[in-house]
Amino acid sequence: MLGAAITGLLLLIGVFFGGRAQRQHLADMDRRAEALSDIIVTNLKTIPESGQPPILVTGSVVIAFDYFRQFVAKFVMFFGGRITMYETMLDRARREALLRLLEAARAAGAREVHNVRYEFSRVGSAAEQGPGGGAELLAYGTAIL
Amino acid sequence: MILSNTETIPGYTITHHIGLVQGNTVRAKHVGRDLMAGLKNIVGGELKGYTELLEDARQEATQRMIAEAEAKGANAIVNVRFSTSAITSGASELYVYGTGVVLG
């Protein structure tokens, strides 16, 4: 009974603070994306000639697989279908990784980033499918000046 | 050392292929960081300690790859790829590889 109450409380904390953090993060990413919108980003392998050597740029983020999401996902997985919570979570992480890549490109003075690739991997305790842990999203590409 | 994840670099000609160069590192998480990660698992969001840990590790792996390329006489590495794999529950391997070349 006490265990269930603690779980319930943790889930409520997760819903409240997690939701608020997500809204703030999305707004923050919109602002940063706006400031970096002049950089051309492609995943094309052929890059234009610029006369200067290209620079390899990366951006990465490790996100938590929080208990609330895992709890809800377990219910959804019983019936099958879309797990929209994970969709939003991964989308946020991927956008954050790309923004960090663009910030690195901007810091290096680049105007274009080509051949952008994403890498995903589980880290921490979740590597063995236990609860908790996180996932890393890495974006990398070739920046040209 | 010029690094690129494209196969060729416009404006430069590859005069010689040195071969595959690589760098890896295996990093374990740290107890303090893991405690913070445990708390973050309640509300979700970024695990900053892990982001920094993996970022450092990736730089180290890249440095090892560059050192190998330099030792073999390359002046650029093309088609660089990154890969991360969780080898046990507490440790990750960061691996970076590419083709060492001599640019003319």
Side-chain angles (χ1 to χ4, degrees), chain A residues 121-140:
Chain A
S121 71
R122 294 294 298 262
V123 294
S125 50
E128 284 166 359
Q129 298 167 350
E136 189 202 30
L137 274 144
L138 165 73
Y140 62 103

Side-chain angles (χ1 to χ4, degrees), chain A residues 10 13-14 17-18 44-45 47-49 51-56 58-68 92 100 114-115 117 119 121-125 127-128 132-134 136 138 140-142, chain B residues 2-12 29 34 37-38 40-48 50-52 54-55 58 62 65 79-92 94 96:
Chain A
L10 287 181
I13 291 173
F17 289 98
L44 301 175
K45 278 184 178 181
I47 59 175
E49 188 176 336
Q52 284 192 66
I55 303 158
L56 192 69
T58 62
S60 70
V61 61
V62 179
I63 47 158
F65 273 70
D66 57 277
Y67 297 128
F68 173 63
R92 258 172 79 192
R100 288 182 184 180
H114 297 283
N115 206 14
R117 300 288 160 112
E119 267 282 322
S121 71
R122 294 294 298 262
V123 294
S125 50
E128 284 166 359
E136 189 202 30
L138 165 73
Y140 62 103
T142 300
Chain B
I2 298 171
L3 262 69
S4 170
N5 72 340
T6 54
E7 285 165 35
T8 53
I9 300 174
Y12 295 84
K29 63 191 179 186
D34 213 40
K40 266 284 184 172
N41 275 321
I42 297 169
V43 294
E46 184 181 1
L47 303 174
K48 286 206 177 68
Y50 281 163
T51 307
E52 284 161 23
L54 293 183
E55 201 60 43
R58 191 167 290 112
T62 311
M65 176 180 74
N79 212 14
V80 173
R81 293 282 181 269
F82 289 102
S83 125
T84 313
S85 44
I87 50 171
T88 69
S89 78
S92 286
L94 284 292
V96 53

Side-chain angles (χ1 to χ4, degrees), chain A residues 26 37 46-47 69 72 77 82 89 93 103 109 145:
Chain A
L26 290 172
S37 59
T46 43
I47 59 175
R69 284 198 167 87
V72 174
M77 273 187 251
R82 281 178 73 178
M89 183 178 86
E103 280 161 359
L145 304 173

Side-chain angles (χ1 to χ4, degrees), chain B:
Chain B
M1 186 66 66
I2 298 171
L3 262 69
S4 170
N5 72 340
T6 54
E7 285 165 35
T8 53
I9 300 174
Y12 295 84
T13 329
I14 296 172
T15 55
H16 190 59
H17 281 87
I18 301 288
L20 200 66
V21 288
Q22 58 190 35
N24 80 334
T25 179
V26 177
R27 290 287 176 99
K29 63 191 179 186
H30 164 289
V31 183
R33 278 176 170 159
D34 213 40
L35 198 68
M36 277 308 293
L39 294 177
K40 266 284 184 172
N41 275 321
I42 297 169
V43 294
E46 184 181 1
L47 303 174
K48 286 206 177 68
Y50 281 163
T51 307
E52 284 161 23
L53 182 83
L54 293 183
E55 201 60 43
D56 280 356
R58 191 167 290 112
Q59 266 170 27
E60 191 184 320
T62 311
Q63 284 310 317
R64 288 186 186 170
M65 176 180 74
I66 292 173
E68 187 188 338
E70 271 169 359
K72 287 180 171 173
N75 65 2
I77 305 168
V78 293
N79 212 14
V80 173
R81 293 282 181 269
F82 289 102
S83 125
T84 313
S85 44
I87 50 171
T88 69
S89 78
S92 286
E93 187 204 28
L94 284 292
Y95 184 60
V96 53
Y97 59 104
T99 302
V101 295
V102 177
L103 293 179

